[in-house]
Amino acid sequence: MSTNETIADKNRAHWNNFAENYETSDPAGIKIAEDAADVMLKKYPFEESSTTVLDFACGTGIVSRRLAPYCLSITGADISENMIELYNKFAQDTPDKDKMEGYVFDLLSPAQSSEEKSLKGMLFDVIVCAQAYHHFEDVTDATKKLASYLKPSGSLFIVDNTWFKWEKGGNEGQNHLAHHHHHGHHDHQFHHKGSEEEEAKLRTAYEAAMDTIAHKEGFNEASMKEMFEAAGLTEAFDFTVLGEYSRAGMSSEVFVAVATKPAV
C-alpha cells in the first residue's frame, strides 16, 4: 500500500469493492438514506417541473431514487466507478430513469481533470450529501465547493452522524423499528439483526471501512451551522436528528442538516 495513499484513495478502493453488495448487505444504511430523503421532501418545496438536484457521494442512488419522482432531474456524482455503474443501472429500472444520470466525479480533488466536464457550468436548486461527510478530510472546504454548485436560494442538505460506535465483536440487537416524532428530533430507532453469516460479512465490511473515515467523532449542530455559514449558506438553517440506527456492531445517531444560499 502506498504511503501517499489519501483518504479519498482509500474510499474509492473500499466503495468499489463494496458496491455490488451494498444494497443487499446493509439494511440500516438503506433505511437511513430513505428516512433522510423523506425529511428533505418535507424541508424543501420540491417541484417536479423545475427542481434540479445534485446527489454528491451518491453511491448506488438510494436517495436519488427516493427524490426522483419530485424533481425535474437528479445528477449523481461519486468517486467510485462501481457505485456510479450501479447508480445508472438501477436508475434504468425505475419510472424516473430519464431524470437520473450518474458521473464519476471527485469534487474534492485538485486533480479533477476530465471528470469536471460532467458538471462544468451546472448549478442546482438542491444538493444532497448523505453519510459521506465523515469520509472527507476537509469538511469546510467540501461545504464551500458544494455551495459553489448551488443556484441563488438553493439549499444544501447534509446527512451524517452526531456520534457513532463500532464494536468489533458486534451487537446482539434484535430487529426493531420505532418512530416517535417531535419537532427537530424524529427519534427513529432501527436495530437490525441478520443471520450469523450476514452479520459476519457486514462486520468485515465495517472493519475495512474504518480506515476510510476521517471524522470518527461525528458532527453537532453548532459545527454544521459554522460550516454552512463559512460557505455563504446563511439562511434557513435547520438541524433534525433522525435517531439511532444500529447493525452488526455499528451504531450511530444520524442527523439531517440544511441551509440555504441567499437569493443575491
Side-chain angles (χ1 to χ4, degrees), residues 109-121:
S109 170
Q112 292 173 36
S113 63
S114 62
E115 286 94 338
E116 189 184 10
K117 294 179 182 177
S118 61
L119 298 183
K120 192 171 184 178

Side-chain angles (χ1 to χ4, degrees), residues 41 46-55 61 63-77 87-88 90-103 122 124:
L41 289 170
F46 287 85
E47 293 287 345
E48 187 178 2
S49 61
S50 61
T51 302
T52 57
V53 178
L54 170 63
D55 184 355
V63 172
S64 286
R65 297 197 300 271
R66 195 80 160 190
L67 297 178
Y70 309 96
C71 304
L72 176 65
S73 66
I74 296 191
T75 301
Y87 180 99
N88 288 323
F90 292 155
Q92 291 303 304
D93 295 330
T94 74
D96 302 299
K97 61 184 179 182
D98 293 334
K99 298 181 180 182
M100 298 171 60
E101 188 165 7
Y103 299 94
M122 297 180 71
F124 301 88

Side-chain angles (χ1 to χ4, degrees), residues 175-209:
N175 288 310
H176 178 68
L177 177 63
H179 300 274
H180 304 286
H181 298 285
H182 51 88
H183 182 68
H185 195 122
H186 286 232
D187 203 23
H188 293 204
Q189 293 184 357
F190 183 92
H191 304 283
H192 177 79
K193 176 67 175 177
S195 68
E196 286 189 17
E197 182 180 0
E198 290 170 338
E199 294 283 291
K201 287 182 178 179
L202 199 49
R203 280 196 296 272
T204 299
Y206 284 144
E207 188 170 357

